[in-house]
Amino acid sequence: MSKKKEHLSQTETIERAISYAFEDKDLLWKSLKHFSSAHSKFNPDEHNRKLAFLGEAVIGMLAGDRKFSVANLPTDFLAIKTLGDMGKKLHLEEFIKLGGTTANQNLDGMSNKIIGEAVAAIFGAIYLDQKHDIYPVKEWCFKKLLPPLKINETGTKTQKGHGNSEQLGTAVLHLIATDYLSDRFPTLKETDLAGIRSGCQEQMLQASKLDKQFLAQMYINNEFAGLRTSLINSLNTP
């Protein structure tokens, strides 16, 4: 089998496992490139850390959504350990690209952290593949990915939800700021982006004159795309 056909076969295998077909296949493979495999640690296109950084914000948004509508949700829902366990159930460790001494690990010895970061990167990759639209990602996560894996979501669902709208708005703002900074500063390390993210969030709120409860309501009304555009544009308005 040629390398091209083998790569295509592996892509189809992963997409079947995660129940998602990428429009941009390169995003999938980038999400599986561990930092150790990069030739240049400063080139974010050579490893999955930037995607994982974005993916963690996407996951935070999904967890915020679920906590708003499902009572008694476990506090570690979609935590890194949970993501690592999820990746193992999907056998993703077979496809994660490692380098250096890290590459000498056997599949069973691959850490939950490495696998969990790859899963987080997949969430980020799908968000980008969906053109920064969170709702298809939510649909995929809760209706296609999690049910077969039987991820623990124990709790009593309520019609009106029990969550705090400010907390949901915080998750919305966190994702939009992370998205904006990742795109605006493609060469900055994740630690640097994390350091300026809080300030960016405050600036978005001040410039747009919106509050977190309003952000939550916009998200609930399926107006995330317009809200994202509005908050980002507010930073560029004199």
Side-chain angles (χ1 to χ4, degrees):
M1 182 183 294
S2 68
K3 287 188 176 181
K4 185 175 181 180
K5 287 184 177 179
E6 181 181 1
H7 197 272
L8 179 61
S9 175
Q10 289 180 341
T11 299
E12 292 173 344
T13 298
I14 300 168
E15 289 181 333
R16 281 197 299 271
I18 65 175
S19 301
Y20 181 85
F22 276 85
E23 181 178 333
D24 183 351
K25 309 296 183 185
D26 288 341
L27 281 171
L28 170 60
W29 285 104
K30 180 180 172 182
S31 70
L32 297 170
K33 291 180 180 178
H34 185 255
F35 185 69
S36 64
S37 69
H39 295 293
S40 170
K41 312 301 182 186
F42 300 100
N43 185 350
D45 289 330
E46 291 196 9
H47 54 80
N48 65 7
R49 281 194 171 177
K50 187 64 75 68
L51 274 179
F53 178 71
L54 175 61
E56 287 170 4
V58 171
I59 290 165
M61 177 70 259
L62 298 177
D65 176 289
R66 217 56 169 176
K67 289 176 181 178
F68 186 78
S69 58
V70 180
N72 304 318
L73 194 69
T75 55
D76 62 348
F77 177 64
L78 291 183
I80 281 292
K81 182 184 185 304
T82 305
L83 295 179
D85 293 339
M86 185 189 304
K88 288 179 180 177
K89 289 181 179 180
L90 296 170
H91 304 290
L92 291 181
E93 67 272 19
E94 299 176 20
F95 304 100
I96 296 173
K97 183 179 180 182
L98 303 174
T101 56
T102 313
N104 295 326
Q105 297 184 76
N106 58 42
L107 296 182
D108 292 333
M110 191 179 293
S111 72
N112 249 42
K113 185 174 186 295
I114 290 176
I115 300 171
E117 286 175 349
V119 174
I122 287 174
F123 274 80
I126 291 177
Y127 175 74
L128 294 181
D129 199 54
Q130 288 294 330
K131 310 297 188 290
H132 308 263
D133 188 353
I134 190 62
Y135 302 111
V137 186
K138 174 185 172 181
E139 179 87 2
W140 159 75
C141 178
F142 293 118
K143 293 192 176 180
K144 295 184 178 180
L145 180 66
L146 297 189
L149 298 177
K150 298 180 180 179
I151 299 298
N152 183 18
E153 275 191 78
T154 57
T156 303
K157 294 186 178 181
T158 60
Q159 286 186 335
K160 295 183 179 179
H162 76 291
N164 185 309
S165 62
E166 184 166 346
Q167 291 177 350
L168 179 59
T170 296
V172 173
L173 182 62
H174 185 78
L175 172 55
I176 293 174
T178 304
D179 185 1
Y180 166 74
L181 291 173
S182 296
D183 184 63
R184 176 70 176 78
F185 303 105
T187 60
L188 278 186
K189 294 192 298 184
E190 311 75 46
T191 50
D192 295 329
L193 293 178
I196 63 176
R197 182 166 48 193
S198 293
C200 179
Q201 292 176 180
E202 290 178 10
Q203 188 177 353
M204 281 182 168
L205 288 180
Q206 291 174 0
S208 66
K209 296 181 171 56
L210 302 177
D211 59 35
K212 292 178 181 178
Q213 287 88 349
F214 182 81
L215 304 189
Q217 192 58 53
M218 289 284 284
Y219 170 79
I220 293 168
N221 292 343
N222 293 322
E223 296 180 22
F224 177 84
L227 178 62
R228 174 182 175 273
T229 299
S230 178
L231 286 177
I232 290 174
N233 287 346
S234 72
L235 297 180
N236 302 316
T237 302

